[in-house]
Amino acid sequence: MSNRIILGLDISTTCTGISIVLVDEEENIKPIVVTHLRHKVSKKLDKIESLFVKCNGFIEKLDEILKENDLYVNGKTIITDVVIEEPLVSSNNKYTVATLLRYNGMTAYKVYELLGIVPTFISSADARKYGVPK
């Protein structure tokens, strides 16, 4: 098995966690990027429109992060895998749940559009298990 570079995302409508790690042939994990992006948009925007603006802003920032860390070669990303934590939908507010699911889907699609990689979705429990195995 060869080296893999994994983009991990914890997507929320207010803040998105971003990690990029190198997994070598011996399954050792080396962090490349661990950061977050706070989504700030004008309060004058309609709630749905604000999701589009946040999503586009996130994709622009992700593209910058990839460029800053030399994760493009000949115009193509060297990311091999994308893992996205599924949103927690335990809220009693149906609007909140719908908004989280909608934004998660929008962002996942834009990541696919940028990188050409179909994301894998994992639960928060699995995200913790893989991210902090001990």
Side-chain angles (χ1 to χ4, degrees):
M1 175 174 249
S2 61
N3 290 346
R4 295 172 26 224
I5 299 178
I6 302 171
L7 168 65
L9 300 173
D10 181 359
I11 300 169
S12 174
T13 57
T14 56
C15 181
T16 295
I18 305 165
S19 65
I20 302 173
V21 297
L22 169 68
V23 181
D24 69 18
E25 294 173 358
E26 288 82 37
E27 296 293 311
N28 296 309
I29 299 170
K30 177 186 172 210
I32 298 171
V33 174
V34 178
T35 192
H36 69 283
L37 174 64
R38 292 208 177 275
H39 307 294
K40 295 181 183 178
V41 297
S42 170
K43 297 209 184 273
K44 295 178 184 176
L45 292 176
D46 168 88
K47 295 236 184 237
I48 297 298
E49 184 179 6
S50 74
L51 295 179
F52 287 99
V53 172
K54 288 176 183 181
C55 187
N56 284 334
F58 167 74
I59 289 301
E60 289 172 8
K61 181 63 176 173
L62 178 60
D63 189 45
E64 285 176 28
I65 290 169
L66 296 174
K67 288 175 182 170
E68 289 168 1
N69 289 278
D70 298 320
L71 295 170
Y72 283 111
V73 173
N74 298 324
K76 184 166 171 42
T77 183
I78 58 173
I79 299 287
T80 58
D81 303 88
V82 175
V83 178
I84 298 177
E85 183 179 336
E86 295 172 336
L88 291 174
V89 291
S90 58
S91 172
N92 290 331
N93 184 325
K94 291 178 186 175
Y95 178 77
T96 299
V97 171
T99 300
L100 284 171
L101 291 171
R102 182 178 291 125
Y103 186 67
N104 193 285
M106 291 167 61
T107 304
Y109 175 73
K110 292 296 278 185
V111 169
Y112 169 76
E113 201 172 56
L114 176 67
L115 303 178
I117 299 170
V118 176
T120 299
F121 293 88
I122 62 172
S123 70
S124 57
D126 281 345
R128 289 182 193 96
K129 180 175 77 176
Y130 298 131
V132 188
K134 297 177 178 151

